[in-house]
Amino acid sequence: MVGVPGKYKGCNTNLEDDHHLLEESQKLTQHLQCDNERPLCRKCLDSGRECAGYERETVFIIGTIEDQGRCSSHPPRVVKSKKSSGKHSSSKRSDDTGSFQLVANTPLRPAWDDLISVSCGGQTFQVQIAALFTPLSSVTRAYATDEDEGEQNRTIFVSFPTYQSPDLTPYPGEDDFQLFSQCMVHLAPPSESRGGQGTQTDSIFMFLYEHNNSITYNSTLPPWKDPSLQTSTVRRLGPSGFRQFPNHHFFARIYRPAAIWTALLSSTPTFLSSPEWQTTPYESHPPSPLDNLLSLLSLLPALFARFNSITSPDTPPTLSRRLLAQDLLSNMMDIELRLSAWFTSLPRSAFWIADPATLPYQPEIPFMETFAFRDTQTGLGLLFYWSGLVLLWPKMWRLYWVLFEAVIDGPIGVEVTLSGKLAGVDPMRWGWKETRGVAESVCRGGYWVLQGAAQPDLVGWVVEVLDWFYGELPGMMTGWDEGVMVGGDGRLEMGWVRGLRERVQGRGRDIGEVVGGRGWVDYVSF
């Protein structure tokens, strides 16, 4: 059973009136035609009634395993049994609505497992989770119909646009981050030779999504979604709305990493740092180490916003500014310590220098010694961890020296003495050389993670961090070693980063080819 918003006809208050007109018209004192004004119907407001808004009652899509994704869309009803035709009958499971559900099998696993075991119609499927950034307005659908006792079962054949990796440069506008997604499912019939379960790519749960952070975003809303449901869908559902499959997987794998990295790159605080958003969605599906890392990274954007305020040229060098810088640096050191604890909690075999003979790709200069990881999830977590440090350490370096800048409202010639956790700190550990070494770790692991990624766009966020760092590197190196650019100015690395960006695009196109040509069912949209 697939739940989707019902057909759009007007606000719910007037829809209710329409319903009563059919059965109890003599009891109605007034009926108003909805004028469809958003967010509330003007007709309701002018008449003194409360407008119930435009959220739709769910309509159910009924699909069967035998139909291989073909479905009919209609309100809940009882499906009549088919007459026996002498051939193997469908393994449909009927209940009081005659519908089916995709149910995640227990024990529930973290959302970052690329394969999820689900039950549908009494059968078990191993479903591959995949996601791809796609301009939703560019996705076209064609329907194959099959008449069956008066019912139309429709398989959706989707034409995907050629994949282009999104430009993830932080959007300069002031709009809140928004992400829109359409989830589709393809269930392949289980083969008796495989013991009733499909192979890794036989059945796919595919998230297509776009967000308003990219310059490719088109504000024209996709035709399959009611505009009133587009605003703050995640906030509207709240943390408790993302505890179960598939909502949890959308939140954990699609929305949350995109929103957090957007916040990090734009130094904009995110509501995802609040305790309820870090815990409630994981009450059913347990968090993975990658989920726990994202929880830590979500705390940084608010600190970055404070950093921008303190170091702004418009902020005068006062004693108050020095105290604010000291407090912020202390806060950043706390997060740095927690990030270090996350790193040390990983198994010793989390990553190693790969044997070139075992790699499915050719390492490139200047990163000939590449990393291999115990699995793609671990590798992605480490890329995120190192990328977070690449953003954090230069800010900690800058804040440290703010503490020693002369102030305009304090005594002259008084030496600054640091106390508490700042006493005895060696700021060199946050310098450009150490940060460059961490950035190199990201580069050494990028190819390996990407070649097995079911969501190549996640590596795209890492590319944005590298692009920012190597672009800023010459400025960071100014004043070091009497102006000598030790180790180069990053131009060689920038060329390598461009190569990684091209590989992200190539991986996205590979996934597009794998999922193309299949029959799909629209499952749910966010």
Side-chain angles (χ1 to χ4, degrees):
M1 177 177 64
V2 181
V4 298
K7 189 174 181 180
Y8 170 72
K9 294 181 180 179
C11 77
N12 291 329
T13 299
N14 286 291
L15 283 177
E16 186 176 359
D17 281 355
D18 289 339
H19 174 72
H20 289 298
L21 275 173
L22 295 175
E23 298 181 2
E24 303 180 73
S25 58
Q26 67 274 20
K27 295 183 181 180
L28 290 173
T29 58
Q30 186 180 23
H31 172 62
L32 300 172
Q33 182 177 1
C34 180
D35 64 355
N36 301 322
E37 185 169 338
R38 308 305 172 101
L40 299 176
C41 171
R42 176 57 57 182
K43 294 289 187 180
C44 291
L45 298 179
D46 291 344
S47 64
R49 300 189 303 174
E50 180 180 358
C51 180
Y54 295 86
E55 184 175 352
R56 290 289 165 262
E57 180 180 355
T58 300
V59 170
F60 294 88
I61 293 177
I62 311 300
T64 72
I65 305 305
E66 187 179 57
D67 290 332
Q68 301 184 37
R70 291 171 296 192
C71 62
S72 60
S73 178
H74 48 72
R77 58 181 175 77
V78 176
V79 177
K80 297 180 180 180
S81 301
K82 292 184 180 181
K83 296 180 180 180
S84 174
S85 59
K87 61 183 179 180
H88 184 68
S89 61
S90 169
S91 57
K92 296 187 296 183
R93 175 183 61 84
S94 297
D95 52 26
D96 56 355
T97 64
S99 58
F100 300 95
Q101 293 185 14
L102 287 178
V103 180
N105 295 324
T106 56
L108 298 180
R109 300 285 302 157
W112 287 101
D113 287 7
D114 284 340
L115 285 178
I116 179 173
S117 175
V118 299
S119 295
C120 181
Q123 293 181 328
T124 298
F125 296 84
Q126 301 299 317
V127 180
Q128 170 82 36
I129 303 291
L132 213 57
F133 184 96
T134 306
L136 298 177
S137 60
S138 300
V139 177
T140 58
R141 289 167 167 76
Y143 299 90
T145 61
D146 179 26
E147 295 292 337
D148 186 5
E149 297 185 359
E151 298 179 9
Q152 281 193 338
N153 293 324
R154 302 193 301 174
T155 299
I156 302 173
F157 292 93
V158 179
S159 175
F160 299 96
T162 301
Y163 176 81
Q164 297 289 335
S165 56
D167 185 334
L168 301 176
T169 304
Y171 185 69
E174 297 181 355
D175 295 339
D176 288 341
F177 175 82
Q178 295 187 53
L179 186 148
F180 313 123
S181 178
Q182 175 68 45
C183 174
M184 304 183 303
V185 61
H186 170 84
L187 292 183
S191 170
E192 293 181 2
S193 63
R194 291 194 294 264
Q197 293 186 349
T199 61
Q200 179 167 334
T201 56
D202 283 339
S203 299
I204 303 177
F205 208 89
M206 186 74 182
F207 290 96
L208 303 179
Y209 69 96
E210 65 178 336
H211 50 76
N212 62 347
N213 182 56
S214 173
I215 61 173
T216 62
Y217 171 70
N218 186 346
S219 60
T220 302
L221 302 179
W224 42 261
K225 190 123 188 228
D226 185 341
S228 68
L229 300 180
Q230 297 267 5
T231 303
S232 303
T233 301
V234 172
R235 291 180 186 252
R236 177 174 56 83
L237 292 176
S240 61
F242 297 98
R243 289 183 293 194
Q244 303 294 336
F245 172 84
N247 292 26
H248 174 76
H249 289 65
F250 161 77
F251 175 77
R253 297 187 58 139
I254 314 299
Y255 183 87
R256 192 174 185 234
I260 289 175
W261 279 110
T262 296
L264 284 165
L265 291 168
S266 62
S267 299
T268 304
T270 172
F271 69 92
L272 296 174
S273 64
S274 61
E276 61 271 20
W277 281 101
Q278 295 198 10
T279 57
T280 303
Y282 299 93
E283 290 178 350
S284 296
H285 291 267
S288 68
L290 181 51
D291 292 309
N292 294 332
L293 174 65
L294 287 169
S295 293
L296 293 175
L297 294 177
S298 71
L299 303 175
L300 290 177
L303 303 185
F304 291 177
R306 290 167 57 190
F307 169 84
N308 289 344
S309 176
I310 291 172
T311 59
S312 169
D314 297 330
T315 303
T318 61
L319 283 172
S320 176
R321 173 176 177 262
R322 178 184 290 171
L323 291 174
L324 290 173
Q326 182 173 332
D327 180 65
L328 178 55
L329 182 56
S330 178
N331 294 156
M332 287 184 170
M333 290 176 65
D334 289 339
I335 302 300
E336 180 192 31
L337 185 62
R338 295 173 64 181
L339 287 170
S340 178
W342 177 89
F343 177 77
T344 56
S345 69
L346 297 177
R348 287 189 174 184
S349 58
F351 70 103
W352 57 90
I353 296 178
D355 179 356
T358 65
L359 296 175
Y361 55 86
Q362 180 63 42
E364 297 178 359
I365 296 174
F367 305 112
M368 298 301 293
E369 288 189 344
T370 63
F371 291 150
F373 303 88
R374 62 180 302 177
D375 52 51
T376 302
Q377 183 184 143
T378 301
L380 183 62
L382 283 166
L383 295 190
F384 280 6
Y385 165 74
W386 290 320
S387 297
L389 295 182
V390 168
L391 294 176
L392 176 63
W393 281 357
K395 295 176 176 60
M396 299 179 72
W397 166 265
R398 176 73 179 92
L399 280 175
Y400 181 85
W401 295 111
V402 166
L403 303 179
F404 297 93
E405 292 180 0
V407 296
I408 60 177
D409 58 348
I412 299 176
V414 177
E415 183 178 351
V416 176
T417 302
L418 301 181
S419 60
K421 65 179 66 176
L422 298 181
V425 167
D426 180 9
M428 299 301 293
R429 75 190 211 201
W430 307 317
W432 71 265
K433 291 183 179 180
E434 286 69 20
T435 306
R436 188 175 192 171
V438 174
E440 289 177 357
S441 294
V442 179
C443 297
R444 294 181 190 280
Y447 281 5
W448 194 98
V449 172
L450 185 60
Q451 55 94 24
Q455 292 179 238
D457 303 311
L458 293 172
V459 181
W461 295 107
V462 170
V463 173
E464 289 302 315
V465 174
L466 294 174
D467 192 62
W468 168 83
F469 174 74
Y470 288 119
E472 294 289 325
L473 184 59
M476 296 180 186
M477 299 169 72
T478 301
W480 285 82
D481 300 319
E482 299 180 353
V484 178
M485 293 293 192
V486 178
D489 58 4
R491 282 179 290 184
L492 186 61
E493 290 91 337
M494 284 292 287
W496 186 92
V497 171
R498 285 192 292 271
L500 179 59
R501 192 186 299 274
E502 292 173 358
R503 294 202 179 206
V504 169
Q505 186 160 295
R507 178 62 179 170
R509 290 178 177 176
D510 289 344
I511 293 176
E513 292 177 0
V514 169
V515 301
R518 296 172 182 259
W520 299 89
V521 174
D522 275 332
Y523 195 78
V524 67
S525 58
F526 298 93

